[in-house]
Amino acid sequence: MTAAACLRDLTISLSTFGGDLPIVEEINLTLQRGEIFGLVGESGGGKSVLSSAFSGLIAKPLNIASGAIEVDGRPVVPGDLTGLREIRGRKVGMIFQDPMTSLNPVFTVGDQLTETVRHLCACTVQEAAERAVTLLEEVGIARPRERMKALPQELSGGMRQRVVIALALAGDPTLLIADEPTTALDVSVQAQVMELIRKLAADREMSVLFITHDIALVGSIANRIGVLYAGRLVEVGAISEVLLRPKHPYTAGLLASIPTIGGPLGSLHHVPGRVPPLDARSSMCSFTPRCDRALDCCLTSPPPARVEGCGRRVLCWNPLAEGAHA
């Protein structure tokens, strides 16, 4: 596989009257063509900011403090409008979690798809309309020519999400960002959308960044997974390795919080505490106040990145030696 996109030593900060506060710090990540990379973590960890970086959607009061972003070998430079026009939609596609906020209720599906295709590709209205029909067919919508005339609210939730996926594919992107794309869907439709994303990644040799709070859900679709905590990737590795043998205490805590059928009755496990606010993060390990494996060094120095075979990386002073659940 070849690289579709990468982040190198990326730090994104928020400018405040008291100074710059890092939102994501020293992120190194390479996404390969055809792979699905799952990104998980609690709210406030920086997942959406990290995904926005690939499209150059970083504007004041946010700024790139250090590092570089590349998509399909091209640098992504926020503020470079000419360069970003060639990246947004053409190199990077985006699927949002609620299709009703992504589709205009006063225009038909066909109008919205045709306009998007014409914006991204040099073609006539007729050619764009035919391309729109092909896209609807590719995402599994029956009778696509008929659906072109429908308003979004005339379609089911699952069909609307398929239309949003078709819009994201209009420019034949190298990287598809799926930001919690199944949150608004029921379980059966969720499974269909997940299978569709998996098929599109394989057929198009397209990289997918799949963002979710649900670590169990990402286990059913991703090839690799990254666990983001307080703006840092604390664990990265193959999905089977990380889910079966977690090394970071936070990853182990997330996995232990997943309820199981037939498990013992009682209170569900949870990771105590909460993600620290931006102004409370320091040079120490941010997970220390919530960690039962913390050492003295965790209070004084940032944890080192421990690199193991097959690209496994853990950011921890005292990782789980055997990778057991918390």
Side-chain angles (χ1 to χ4, degrees):
M1 291 190 293
T2 56
C6 65
L7 305 174
R8 295 193 180 95
D9 297 319
L10 181 67
T11 295
I12 299 175
S13 298
L14 173 68
S15 296
T16 71
F17 290 113
D20 287 354
L21 300 175
I23 295 179
V24 294
E25 297 183 73
E26 299 176 2
I27 301 294
N28 285 283
L29 178 63
T30 299
L31 305 178
Q32 306 295 338
R33 289 183 180 271
E35 83 160 331
I36 300 176
F37 185 92
L39 185 64
V40 301
E42 293 171 86
S43 295
K47 299 188 301 298
S48 294
V49 171
L50 190 60
S51 67
S52 297
F54 285 110
S55 298
L57 295 173
I58 303 298
K60 292 182 178 180
L62 298 180
N63 64 86
I64 295 180
S66 62
I69 311 162
E70 287 186 5
V71 176
D72 200 19
R74 299 187 57 167
V76 178
V77 182
D80 177 14
L81 297 183
T82 301
L84 292 177
R85 288 192 191 101
E86 296 300 316
I87 290 173
R88 294 173 182 167
R90 294 179 175 89
K91 299 294 183 182
V92 180
M94 189 82 176
I95 306 172
F96 297 98
Q97 56 183 285
D98 185 356
M100 279 310 292
T101 61
S102 304
L103 298 171
N104 193 322
V106 302
F107 290 100
T108 66
V109 166
D111 287 340
Q112 295 180 65
L113 268 171
T114 300
E115 180 183 7
T116 300
V117 172
R118 289 201 71 196
H119 174 74
L120 297 174
C121 310
C123 58
T124 65
V125 174
Q126 184 176 355
E127 290 170 338
E130 288 300 315
R131 168 69 172 158
V133 171
T134 301
L135 286 168
L136 290 179
E137 189 174 18
E138 185 177 4
V139 298
I141 291 185
R143 305 191 304 277
R145 292 188 184 277
E146 180 181 335
R147 300 303 183 190
M148 288 275 286
K149 303 174 185 178
L151 293 169
Q153 56 269 31
E154 295 176 318
L155 304 179
S156 68
M159 291 180 69
R160 288 196 294 265
Q161 193 62 295
R162 288 173 185 266
V163 172
V164 171
I165 294 173
L167 284 166
L169 297 175
D172 196 20
T174 303
L175 170 64
L176 181 66
I177 299 173
D179 191 355
E180 299 192 53
T182 60
T183 298
L185 306 177
D186 61 57
V187 176
S188 60
V189 177
Q190 180 185 86
Q192 295 171 16
V193 171
M194 297 278 281
E195 180 57 34
L196 174 60
I197 292 174
R198 183 185 295 109
K199 182 177 185 300
L200 290 169
D203 292 349
R204 288 171 166 252
E205 292 189 341
M206 176 180 62
S207 177
V208 177
L209 178 61
F210 192 93
I211 302 169
T212 182
H213 292 282
D214 191 338
I215 197 170
L217 178 66
V218 82
S220 67
I221 188 173
N223 307 108
R224 289 191 300 145
I225 186 172
V227 182
L228 194 67
Y229 182 79
R232 289 180 176 268
L233 276 173
V234 297
E235 187 160 6
V236 177
I239 195 74
S240 58
E241 287 289 320
V242 173
L243 296 191
L244 294 178
R245 291 174 290 277
K247 296 284 188 178
H248 198 281
Y250 178 61
T251 308
L254 290 179
L255 289 168
S257 302
I258 301 172
T260 57
I261 297 175
L265 297 178
S267 299
L268 294 175
H269 175 84
H270 70 284
V271 181
R274 62 183 63 187
V275 178
L278 293 177
D279 58 0
R281 299 176 189 178
S282 64
S283 59
M284 73 174 189
C285 173
S286 296
F287 190 61
T288 300
R290 308 174 70 181
C291 183
D292 59 5
R293 296 177 56 82
L295 305 174
D296 290 343
C297 57
C298 301
L299 294 168
T300 58
S301 304
R306 300 172 182 267
V307 180
E308 301 180 7
C310 301
R312 186 77 180 273
R313 191 167 72 248
V314 184
L315 201 66
C316 185
W317 279 110
N318 188 24
L320 295 164
E322 300 300 324
H325 285 199

